Amino acid sequence: MSSVGGAAPPIVSSADTAAAAPGTADLDQEAFVQGLLGLFQPVCEELDVRILAVKESQFDLQDRIDGLVAELERFGELHRDSPDMRAHVKKLAGCRRRALLVSTILQAVQERLTKLQTSIDKDMKKQRGMFSPSSA
C-alpha cells in the first residue's frame, strides 16, 4: 500500500501512541482484552455445551450396547450351536471400548476447556483491576 507520491505512511509504535495520549494505551489494551474475551468466551461456552451433549449421547450409546450384548448373550445361551453370535458380541464389546475411549477423551477436553474458561475469567478480573479508576 503506497500513498500518493510513493512515500510510505509513517510507522507509529505503541510507545509513540502512549506518549501522545497517556490514557489511550490503557484504553486500547483494555479494548483488546475485551475483544479477545468477546471472541473466546462464546466459543468456549458453545464447545462446553456441545461436549456435554456428545458425552450424554456416548453414555446412552454405552447403555444400549450393554443391553444388546446382554440380549445377544441370552440368545447365544439358547442357541449354543450358533458360533456367529460370539463374533458379534466381540464386535459390540469393541464398540463399547471405543465409545468409552471417546468418553474419556471428551472428559479431558471438557476439563481443559473449564481450565481455559477459568483462566480467561481470572485474567479478565486482573485486567479490570489494572484498568479500574481506583488504581490510577
Side-chain angles (χ1 to χ4, degrees):
M1 242 173 30
S2 65
S3 60
V4 178
I11 298 174
V12 179
S13 71
S14 60
D16 295 335
T17 305
T24 306
D26 289 342
L27 292 175
D28 289 344
Q29 189 175 8
E30 184 176 1
F32 177 72
V33 169
Q34 290 294 328
L36 282 177
L37 178 65
L39 178 69
F40 287 121
Q41 190 166 11
V43 171
C44 289
E45 289 171 358
E46 178 68 22
L47 283 173
D48 197 35
V49 167
R50 289 184 182 202
I51 287 171
L52 287 174
V54 171
K55 280 178 56 178
E56 188 176 310
S57 70
Q58 288 292 317
F59 288 130
D60 184 44
L61 177 62
Q62 286 177 348
D63 289 341
R64 290 179 184 219
I65 289 173
D66 289 341
L68 187 55
V69 166
E71 191 68 33
L72 284 174
E73 286 174 349
R74 280 189 295 238
F75 182 79
E77 288 174 7
L78 294 175
H79 304 291
R80 293 197 184 271
D81 57 342
S82 178
D84 295 335
M85 283 299 171
R86 282 176 274 190
H88 294 295
V89 169
K90 285 181 183 179
K91 285 181 185 179
L92 282 172
C95 289
R96 186 179 188 288
R97 281 191 301 274
R98 287 190 297 272
L100 184 60
L101 177 64
V102 168
S103 216
T104 303
I105 291 169
L106 285 173
Q107 180 67 32
V109 168
Q110 187 174 23
E111 288 172 4
R112 289 179 189 163
L113 187 59
T114 301
K115 287 178 184 177
L116 178 63
Q117 184 67 37
T118 303
S119 176
I120 288 171
D121 291 342
K122 188 170 84 174
D123 287 346
M124 283 305 299
K125 287 178 184 176
K126 184 177 172 182
Q127 290 291 334
R128 286 184 185 137
M130 289 174 51
F131 295 118
S132 68
S134 62
S135 67

